[in-house]
Amino acid sequence: MISRYTRPAMGEIWTDAARYARWLEIEILACEAWAKRGRIPARAVQTMRRRARIDPERIAALEAEVKHDIIAFVTQVAETVGPDGRFLHLGLTSSDVLDTGFALQLRDAAALLLEGQDRLIKALRRLALAHKSTLMIGRTHGMHAEPITFGVKVASWHAEAVRNRERLVTATREIAVGTLSGAVGVFGNVSPQIESYVLGKLGLVAEPVATQVVARDRHAAFFSALAVLGTSIERIALEIRHMQRTELGEAEEPFTAGQKGSSAMPHKRNPILSENVTGLARLLRAYAGAALENVALWHERDISHSSVERVIGPDATIALDFMLSRMTGVLENLVVRPERMRANLDLTGGVVLSENVLLALVQKGAIRQDAYRWVQRAAHDSLAGRSTFLDALAAEPEIRKRLSVGDLERLLDPDRHLEHLDLLFRRGLGTSGPSSQRKSRRRPTARTSRGGAK
């Protein structure tokens, strides 16, 4: 079965209730810190912990009146606390709560994205190992180039996925930053010790010099990392879409029982899952651009970034969470057709191995430009249907002077290109199989390759 996106945790991070809960914790921790310094009674903090409640509807009603989200929030919480509610927000400014709370949301969202990325990496690893020796044609400019294996293709995706995980870890660390430094960041009415206490309890580090806000280059880096990760998923999706084309037929998305491909054409099996992922990757890149626009603010702060972040925070993380789940499901259930891959590899009768012959001729003393012309002439004759490539090569007098028919047959064996598979897999997966697999190599069938495992 395809992995379905049913996990609501990412969306829950971005609800009003979840945002207000983080704000409340920041406010009460600040009061705890003040109490430890003797500025407010310890009993007031105990009262807050016991009585403070969040009412999103009441906050919305207050905000409609005062036109300020933090004032509405503090007012509503203070109503539930009673007289001790006057100590809430002592010495703080709105961005102290907004930015620190946003950091908590982004950090929690990133933790879920890392879980999803780990599942994707695991699926890629299994698929690569299952098809380590599955020969297929490599393509450049969309045209046949030279033989590769499907496992090598997937190993490349795996290596990129690991890099993207590292980028996300770095971006998460960079965004796990808060501030409680007052109206223009100079601790005018709040002590640095208050900031240190609160951020320490929350597991955040302090913005070294906050103007009033956490510097938005951090957010730009975070959303850029999400965009790169999403684009890498798109790279996989695009290749699957190409391989599923009728003319290639080398791999196919899972097609479940009862699924319909077209309202008009009963035969259709379209790569809709990968196409969907491709579209979402475009949104992630747009969100990264918006985050970059947020870096430059007026003087110590304006709020031009705020409206943008209210959209891109939840949208980008939810979209990427969905993309990771969807692509992992596709890869876990991918239908791979090794025999079709081999048929496409053999489509040109060995012409794709022309470089092997060229280099052998050079080794035999031929001038490269001359050898290139002889092999090219034979290749074009073969592609035109006038001869097989082997016969066309053998018919070239200068080639036959240097290479026997047996030599040519060995040069046209695509298995020659598998010599360094172990090296590539050590690089791409961090592992390798036996040093030599040529004798035991078996090509998997479509039946054994479903789901990327034998």
Side-chain angles (χ1 to χ4, degrees):
M1 293 294 293
I2 303 172
S3 297
R4 292 191 176 274
Y5 183 77
T6 57
R7 184 163 53 90
M10 183 64 81
E12 288 174 356
I13 291 172
W14 299 103
T15 63
D16 287 343
R19 182 172 73 256
Y20 296 148
R22 288 169 174 82
W23 290 2
L24 181 59
E25 185 63 15
I26 294 164
E27 292 280 1
I28 294 180
L29 283 174
C31 288
E32 282 185 3
W34 282 123
K36 289 180 181 297
R37 294 177 63 81
R39 279 286 299 273
I40 67 175
R43 61 164 179 75
V45 180
Q46 295 170 359
T47 301
M48 291 177 194
R49 286 288 185 194
R50 186 175 65 255
R51 300 186 60 180
R53 296 292 184 272
I54 294 170
D55 183 345
E57 292 185 3
R58 174 60 176 158
I59 294 172
L62 288 167
E63 187 175 355
E65 177 185 349
V66 302
K67 306 298 190 294
H68 195 289
D69 51 358
I70 291 294
I71 292 175
F73 167 77
V74 172
T75 300
Q76 183 271 308
V77 173
E79 289 174 347
T80 67
V81 172
D84 287 333
R86 69 186 186 278
F87 297 117
L88 290 166
H89 209 62
L90 187 65
L92 304 184
T93 191
S94 298
S95 289
D96 290 334
V97 179
L98 289 168
D99 280 12
T100 304
F102 193 36
L104 294 174
Q105 288 177 294
L106 291 175
R107 185 186 64 184
D108 292 346
L112 294 179
L113 294 176
L114 283 168
E115 291 178 10
Q117 185 71 358
D118 285 342
R119 288 191 292 271
L120 178 69
I121 289 170
K122 185 177 180 180
L124 288 168
R125 182 184 182 83
R126 284 198 302 263
L127 188 60
L129 289 171
H131 293 283
K132 180 176 181 178
S133 302
T134 302
L135 274 166
M136 67 179 298
I137 187 62
R139 297 175 174 90
T140 59
H141 304 277
M143 308 295 287
H144 284 205
E146 290 187 349
I148 62 170
T149 74
F150 184 54
V152 167
K153 185 188 292 285
V154 180
S156 171
W157 300 342
H158 179 277
E160 186 170 342
V162 171
R163 291 195 298 274
N164 278 317
R165 189 189 193 284
E166 294 169 354
R167 291 185 183 108
L168 184 53
V169 168
T170 299
T172 302
R173 185 166 54 246
E174 189 169 2
I175 205 65
V177 171
T179 181
L180 279 84
S181 53
V184 287
V186 297
F187 299 100
N189 289 293
V190 64
S191 166
Q193 285 73 33
I194 304 300
E195 179 185 72
S196 179
Y197 178 86
V198 174
L199 298 184
K201 289 288 188 179
L202 296 174
L204 301 176
V205 299
E207 176 68 38
V209 182
T211 55
Q212 182 187 93
V213 296
V214 169
R216 257 46 195 179
D217 65 293
R218 298 179 181 278
H219 303 74
F222 181 82
F223 287 101
S224 294
L226 301 192
V228 173
L229 199 161
T231 301
S232 292
I233 296 175
E234 182 189 13
R235 178 191 172 209
I236 300 171
L238 183 63
E239 186 67 15
I240 292 172
R241 291 168 60 194
H242 278 309
M243 295 174 73
Q244 188 165 334
R245 286 163 48 210
T246 306
E247 293 80 5
L248 271 65
E250 295 173 343
E252 183 178 303
E253 288 182 357
F255 197 84
T256 58
Q259 184 175 342
K260 304 292 191 297
S262 167
S263 64
M265 297 169 283
H267 69 278
K268 293 299 281 320
R269 294 165 68 110
N270 301 323
I272 57 171
L273 306 178
S274 297
E275 289 174 341
N276 178 254
V277 164
T278 298
L280 291 174
R282 296 169 186 168
L283 286 177
L284 292 180
R285 290 192 288 274
Y287 294 148
L292 288 165
E293 295 291 337
N294 281 350
V295 175
L297 303 177
W298 283 20
H299 303 296
E300 276 58 58
R301 178 228 179 181
D302 61 52
I303 64 165
S304 60
H305 62 289
S306 177
S307 56
V308 175
E309 289 168 356
R310 288 171 188 250
V311 174
I312 68 175
D315 279 15
T317 54
I318 291 172
L320 184 53
D321 191 44
F322 175 84
M323 292 170 67
L324 286 165
S325 177
R326 168 148 291 184
M327 185 48 60
T328 299
V330 169
L331 292 167
E332 288 175 342
N333 297 277
L334 189 68
V335 179
V336 181
R337 297 197 169 90
E339 301 309 319
R340 187 64 180 265
M341 291 178 177
R342 182 62 194 234
N344 288 337
L345 172 62
D346 295 337
L347 190 64
T348 58
V351 164
V352 295
L353 297 157
S354 63
E355 186 183 17
N356 292 355
V357 181
L358 170 63
L359 296 178
L361 289 169
V362 172
Q363 288 293 317
K364 292 290 185 177
I367 302 300
R368 183 183 177 91
Q369 290 83 351
D370 293 337
Y372 191 103
R373 187 172 62 254
W374 305 333
V375 177
Q376 184 184 53
R377 185 162 54 228
H380 287 180
D381 283 345
S382 177
L383 290 172
R386 292 188 287 270
S387 174
T388 67
F389 189 41
L390 178 61
D391 289 344
L393 290 168
E396 287 284 341
E398 295 297 330
I399 293 178
R400 281 301 305 277
K401 285 180 184 179
R402 296 165 174 84
L403 299 171
S404 68
V405 172
D407 291 333
L408 293 172
E409 288 175 339
R410 286 188 291 274
L411 290 168
L412 297 183
D413 178 4
D415 277 4
R416 291 169 54 89
H417 286 252
L418 304 183
E419 180 180 356
H420 299 294
L421 274 181
D422 288 337
L423 171 64
L424 292 171
F425 270 68
R426 283 196 300 273
R427 291 177 172 181
L429 301 186
T431 186
S432 65
S435 59
S436 175
Q437 298 187 359
R438 290 182 64 85
K439 292 183 180 179
S440 62
R441 187 180 300 125
R442 292 186 302 168
R443 297 190 183 95
T445 64
R447 182 187 300 273
T448 61
S449 63
R450 187 177 185 91
K454 299 179 185 178

